[in-house]
Amino acid sequence: MQFTKGDLVMNIKQILAGAALLLPFAVTSIPSQASAFQVIVNPHGLNRPAQTIAQRPPQVKRHAPPAKKKVLVSGHWEKTNHGRKWVAAHYIYK
């Protein structure tokens, strides 16, 4: 039985096409590290009563003084006994 050049090219194409189709399946069948973990199924866990979570007693709200706000006072001239003096911008609490 003799093969011609056309038959040989066709066989190579079929082999490559088959390999391309089988490659994704071969890669996904390789065991991964995640599949090595032991999985424990507890069938009796469903019949267990629900856990009650202890609640904190309600906090007594105390009246807090209003928070002081930081306010920017822009630079300005101030009168003094010796003339005018430049005061740079600064923050004060109100």
Side-chain angles (χ1 to χ4, degrees):
M1 184 171 180
Q2 270 188 321
F3 290 107
T4 61
K5 187 176 179 184
D7 292 336
L8 185 63
V9 171
M10 196 62 162
N11 285 340
I12 293 175
K13 286 183 181 179
Q14 288 177 346
I15 291 171
L16 289 177
L21 290 174
L22 291 177
L23 185 64
F25 295 111
V27 170
T28 56
S29 66
I30 296 173
S32 65
Q33 188 176 7
S35 65
F37 286 122
Q38 184 179 6
V39 178
I40 299 172
V41 177
N42 187 2
H44 302 295
L46 300 175
N47 298 330
R48 189 178 51 173
Q51 292 178 346
T52 56
I53 299 172
Q55 293 183 352
R56 290 185 185 177
Q59 295 292 324
V60 177
K61 292 189 179 182
R62 296 181 176 91
H63 176 70
K68 291 186 174 185
K69 294 182 181 177
K70 214 173 179 184
V71 179
L72 175 67
V73 178
S74 58
H76 57 279
W77 289 99
E78 282 187 356
K79 277 189 179 179
T80 64
N81 291 338
H82 306 287
R84 296 186 323 157
K85 183 177 114 178
W86 176 255
V87 178
H90 58 279
Y91 286 95
I92 60 170
Y93 290 96
K94 280 193 171 184

